[in-house]
Amino acid sequence: MKQETILEKRRRQSDRIRQMTVAAMLSAITALLVFTPIGMIQLPPPLLAVTTVHVPVLIAALVEGWWVGGFVGLVFGTCSLIRAFEAGAGGLTLFFQNPLISVLPRILFPLGAYAVYLLLKKLFRDGQVRDKIAAGIAAAVGAVLNTVLVLGTLYLIYGAKLTELVNNMISAGNAEAHYLDHAGAWLVAAVGLPNGIAEAAVAAILVPMVKVAVDAVTKRKGRKQA
């Protein structure tokens, strides 16, 4: 009994070390994607960028659990906040200087993806197929959740200012009054829909592939699979 207790303690220590290592590695990748063109496909102002930074955040959550995903999400949000201040006050970057928009949603979306992943695993019986399907769906949901939380918070907090910003960039003679009255909402919808679909598709493909590879490696090392 004592020997089993020691073995369990060593296993828990090994798991913690692995989780911290994975968190550090994926955080570094996340920072690289944020601060280099690799992770951001820039669109003309005032539109947002199509990002792939959510991918390592989702990998962290689905491979190592909620707290690792939340930590890497915090790194994602902090890097986005820093980038917003570096970019100045042009276009939509001004709004991302608010941590409620740039940081908080990035902490929450991996937690949501992990919750969906756990729920789906209970709905599918076959282990291998179950995990792939659950990871793919959860990754897609997480990517959409990221877009919804960011743009939703943006509109809730800065809806009026967003509309004013857009209206200042267009001529009243070239747009309908209904559009001008709700320009902020139209912009959020126009940006969020294509961005959300693209980011969800990328996540649904890449995250399960990486997760399967990581699980295969850890299984060889004798790690008990969830």
Side-chain angles (χ1 to χ4, degrees):
M1 182 67 67
K2 183 177 180 180
Q3 184 178 6
E4 292 179 354
T5 302
I6 294 175
L7 290 176
E8 287 295 329
K9 183 178 180 179
R10 289 178 178 176
R11 185 177 292 111
R12 287 195 299 270
Q13 291 176 341
S14 177
D15 287 344
R16 284 195 293 268
I17 293 173
R18 186 195 66 253
Q19 289 176 334
M20 289 187 291
T21 302
V22 171
M25 178 183 67
L26 291 176
S27 294
I29 294 174
T30 298
L32 178 67
L33 292 176
V34 171
F35 291 113
T36 67
I38 300 175
M40 295 285 186
I41 303 174
Q42 296 294 335
L43 299 177
L47 299 180
L48 299 173
V50 177
T51 178
T52 59
V53 189
H54 61 293
V55 172
V57 179
L58 291 169
I59 291 173
L62 301 186
V63 171
E64 293 296 347
W66 67 270
W67 80 263
V68 178
F71 177 81
V72 180
L74 173 62
V75 173
F76 177 16
T78 303
C79 291
S80 298
L81 181 64
I82 295 172
R83 185 182 177 114
F85 277 102
E86 288 180 343
L92 294 178
T93 57
L94 173 63
F95 304 129
F96 280 81
Q97 293 177 4
N98 186 339
L100 292 178
I101 295 173
S102 58
V103 179
L104 182 60
R106 272 60 187 270
I107 298 175
L108 296 178
F109 85 85
L111 306 185
Y114 182 67
V116 171
Y117 173 66
L118 293 181
L119 177 62
L120 291 175
K121 284 183 67 176
K122 295 181 179 180
L123 299 179
F124 297 101
R125 295 182 178 180
D126 183 85
Q128 186 175 5
V129 174
R130 172 194 67 182
D131 195 70
K132 291 180 180 178
I133 295 176
I137 296 176
V141 171
V144 172
L145 189 59
N146 176 43
T147 301
V148 170
L149 287 174
V150 171
L151 295 182
T153 306
L154 172 65
Y155 186 71
L156 286 175
I157 297 177
Y158 294 114
K161 292 184 178 180
L162 189 61
T163 296
E164 181 181 356
L165 172 66
V166 177
N167 287 341
N168 288 336
M169 301 180 65
I170 58 179
S171 170
N174 295 328
E176 296 181 0
H178 179 72
Y179 176 83
L180 293 174
D181 292 340
H182 305 280
W186 284 108
L187 177 62
V188 167
V191 172
L193 183 60
N195 281 28
I197 293 174
E199 292 170 6
V202 170
I205 295 172
L206 293 183
V207 173
M209 293 173 60
V210 175
K211 187 179 185 304
V212 168
V214 173
D215 286 345
V217 172
T218 55
K219 188 175 182 179
R220 292 194 197 101
K221 294 181 179 180
R223 177 189 172 192
K224 183 179 180 181
Q225 298 298 304

